[in-house]
Amino acid sequence: MQDLTKGNPAKLIMMFTIPLVIGYLVQQLYNISDTLVVGQTLGVKSLAAVGATGSIQFLVMGFVQGFSSGMSIITAQRFGAHDMNGVRQSYATSIIAGIIMSVILTALSLAFINPLLRLMQTPADIFVEARVFIAIILAGTIATMGYNIISNAMRAVGDSKAPLYYLIVGMIFNITVELILILKFGWGVEGAAFATVMAQFVSIAASHWHISRYTDTLHLTWADFKLPKVELRQHMLAGVPMGFQQSIIAIGSVTLAAAVNTLGTDAVAANTAASKVDQIIIMVVMSFGVTMATYTAQNFGAGQYGRILQGVKVALAMGMIVGTILGVLEIDFGRDLVTLFVGQGQHEVMDLAQLYFWANGPLYAILATLFVLRYTLQGLGDVKTPTLAGVGEMVVRSVAAFSLVVWFGFFGASLANPLAWIGSLIFLVPAWLKVVRQLKQKIATEEVAPEAIQELD
């Protein structure tokens, strides 16, 4: 565990972020292993089938990630306020809420697979494989929810290393089982999906073992699950808006995927392969934002407002520098990475992927700013502004995708992402400037004691 309310903000943010970066890179290997193994062993059509479901996964799994992150903000605030009974109560409530929401999400998502795939204009030659793959992934929603809740709880109390260790365990299991199911048993895309779900259960088991042995703060007993209804309501109110925020963003991605699908199987394959490379960079940049959610929540709980302002400045500088460097590397070397997914000789797919990199690579500094401000506001308990920012991102991405694809083809569709980032910042920047004024006023007047902190308006 790590108390982020004491010590040098720059050092704390960097040391907390590094395990997150590695963890998110490993997490991407879950998806990359699917596309890599599928693309190399089953061919471009199967690769496109898996890729065509990416936006649906984002729609559901994005809600799961946002929902669990929202609840962990409460956990982190209580940890910052040194309310250890409250920390355990928050973790137990998150588990109960996660089970309830998993059942709801699984039932709804499985019922709407076919309509969503048709809405996205999934090509007929990959429709069946895409449906089989995504159905298995969605049936395992509870595994995704479980891992996100337990890993976010560990991060909330300052431990960003343990989630990394057990994610690696799951990743190794995932790749091993995936290869066995596809190459030895000939399961096709079903093998990739089953391996992914089973690996998440392995990560949950390993993480639970770690908590029971090393993290007393999160060590629960049956008594911790005897919760007042107000606890469940509080956590639902924190988690559901953030879940919807992520899903709103995902709707824009579904729309973008639908626009790309109109361009044919090569375009879908190129978008799939390029987006996997792109997601690696996005996860690295996003790590600074995720760090700020925990850092801000802990310091807000402790009444350390000046440290919040310091931390945001540091995180913005770090994120923008890293994003710029990675963008240059993507443009220069991304094409080579695409060959890992589609193999040699797929020149049309590789040319389209390079257009994707030119559209996105130069603007990762903007994305870094988006993530730092969004997660900082969430750490302060503001769910309204990030949700509005998500709506802005969705609208811009959707409109840009279908309008620009008509004029500029695949390159136009690829421009929808950076334009959506700008659309999100239109809401985030003014909200953050308002928060800065509020925090400076609190620092100057010292009217609020740490134990009497309320959420910012």
Side-chain angles (χ1 to χ4, degrees), residues 118-198:
R118 293 193 185 99
L119 181 65
M120 293 168 58
Q121 302 182 59
T122 306
D125 57 344
I126 62 174
F127 190 94
V128 174
E129 281 190 300
R131 182 178 59 193
V132 169
F133 179 83
I134 192 61
I136 296 171
I137 294 293
L138 294 177
T141 296
I142 193 167
T144 306
M145 179 71 79
Y147 174 73
N148 275 275
I149 286 176
I150 198 168
S151 60
N152 279 322
M154 287 192 283
R155 293 185 188 111
V157 299
D159 187 353
S160 62
K161 294 180 181 179
L164 166 61
Y165 301 151
Y166 303 116
L167 187 62
I168 292 175
V169 171
M171 183 267 295
I172 294 172
F173 180 91
N174 181 40
I175 295 175
T176 302
V177 173
E178 187 172 16
L179 287 170
I180 292 173
L181 292 179
I182 292 177
L183 297 179
K184 184 174 178 61
F185 295 99
W187 279 24
V189 295
E190 303 99 307
F194 272 115
T196 299
V197 173
M198 289 189 289

Side-chain angles (χ1 to χ4, degrees), residues 186-249:
W187 279 24
V189 295
E190 303 99 307
F194 272 115
T196 299
V197 173
M198 289 189 289
Q200 289 175 325
F201 279 116
V202 169
S203 293
I204 292 172
S207 299
H208 177 72
W209 172 84
H210 177 93
I211 286 176
S212 63
R213 182 158 185 156
Y214 299 110
T215 313
D216 290 341
T217 305
L218 297 175
H219 191 188
L220 304 178
T221 64
W222 286 113
D224 294 310
F225 289 93
K226 297 178 180 179
L227 304 166
K229 291 182 179 179
V230 66
E231 278 287 319
L232 185 59
R233 181 176 181 274
Q234 181 184 13
H235 283 71
M236 283 289 189
L237 289 175
V240 170
M242 286 182 62
F244 275 124
Q245 172 202 319
Q246 294 288 2
S247 291
I248 288 169
I249 296 171

Side-chain angles (χ1 to χ4, degrees), residues 38 40 77 89 146 152 155 159 197 242 298 307 315 318 359 401 403 405 436:
V38 169
Q40 292 289 350
Q77 289 179 345
Q89 196 171 50
N152 279 322
R155 293 185 188 111
D159 187 353
V197 173
M242 286 182 62
Q298 285 195 14
R307 288 177 59 83
M318 290 179 179
S403 59
V405 76
V436 170

Side-chain angles (χ1 to χ4, degrees), residues 23-327:
Y24 280 125
L25 291 178
V26 172
Q27 192 169 30
Q28 281 305 298
L29 289 178
Y30 271 98
N31 295 327
I32 288 177
S33 64
D34 289 338
T35 52
L36 183 62
V37 174
V38 169
Q40 292 289 350
T41 61
L42 300 176
V44 171
K45 283 190 176 181
S46 294
L47 171 65
V50 172
T53 68
S55 296
I56 298 178
Q57 287 190 63
F58 185 21
L59 182 66
V60 178
M61 303 311 167
F63 183 94
V64 168
Q65 292 169 357
F67 180 74
S68 58
S69 295
M71 294 189 295
S72 72
I73 295 298
I74 298 175
T75 312
Q77 289 179 345
R78 292 178 180 180
F79 183 80
H82 303 290
D83 178 10
M84 297 309 159
N85 287 331
V87 168
R88 285 190 292 274
Q89 196 171 50
S90 177
Y91 179 39
T93 307
S94 298
I95 293 173
I96 295 173
I99 293 172
I100 295 171
M101 192 57 66
S102 294
V103 173
I104 296 172
L105 287 174
T106 301
L108 289 176
S109 60
L110 288 176
F112 289 98
I113 290 177
N114 284 354
L116 281 173
L117 288 173
R118 293 193 185 99
L119 181 65
M120 293 168 58
Q121 302 182 59
T122 306
D125 57 344
I126 62 174
F127 190 94
V128 174
E129 281 190 300
R131 182 178 59 193
V132 169
F133 179 83
I134 192 61
I136 296 171
I137 294 293
L138 294 177
T141 296
I142 193 167
T144 306
M145 179 71 79
Y147 174 73
N148 275 275
I149 286 176
I150 198 168
S151 60
N152 279 322
M154 287 192 283
R155 293 185 188 111
V157 299
D159 187 353
S160 62
K161 294 180 181 179
L164 166 61
Y165 301 151
Y166 303 116
L167 187 62
I168 292 175
V169 171
M171 183 267 295
I172 294 172
F173 180 91
N174 181 40
I175 295 175
T176 302
V177 173
E178 187 172 16
L179 287 170
I180 292 173
L181 292 179
I182 292 177
L183 297 179
K184 184 174 178 61
F185 295 99
W187 279 24
V189 295
E190 303 99 307
F194 272 115
T196 299
V197 173
M198 289 189 289
Q200 289 175 325
F201 279 116
V202 169
S203 293
I204 292 172
S207 299
H208 177 72
W209 172 84
H210 177 93
I211 286 176
S212 63
R213 182 158 185 156
Y214 299 110
T215 313
D216 290 341
T217 305
L218 297 175
H219 191 188
L220 304 178
T221 64
W222 286 113
D224 294 310
F225 289 93
K226 297 178 180 179
L227 304 166
K229 291 182 179 179
V230 66
E231 278 287 319
L232 185 59
R233 181 176 181 274
Q234 181 184 13
H235 283 71
M236 283 289 189
L237 289 175
V240 170
M242 286 182 62
F244 275 124
Q245 172 202 319
Q246 294 288 2
S247 291
I248 288 169
I249 296 171
I251 291 172
S253 296
V254 170
T255 307
L256 175 58
V260 172
N261 287 346
T262 65
L263 300 175
T265 300
D266 281 346
V268 175
N271 188 66
T272 300
S275 64
K276 294 304 179 185
V277 177
D278 178 61
Q279 281 298 314
I280 294 174
I281 297 176
I282 289 177
M283 288 299 176
V284 173
V285 176
M286 190 177 75
S287 298
F288 291 97
V290 174
T291 292
M292 288 309 297
T294 301
Y295 175 90
T296 302
Q298 285 195 14
N299 281 282
F300 187 63
Q304 298 288 340
Y305 307 122
R307 288 177 59 83
I308 295 174
L309 297 176
Q310 287 179 297
V312 171
K313 290 180 182 179
V314 169
L316 282 173
M318 290 179 179
M320 294 175 72
I321 291 171
V322 170
T324 300
I325 293 172
L326 291 178

Side-chain angles (χ1 to χ4, degrees), residues 406-419:
V406 175
W407 299 328
F408 304 108
F410 186 81
F411 182 70
S414 300
L415 284 172
N417 283 327
L419 290 175

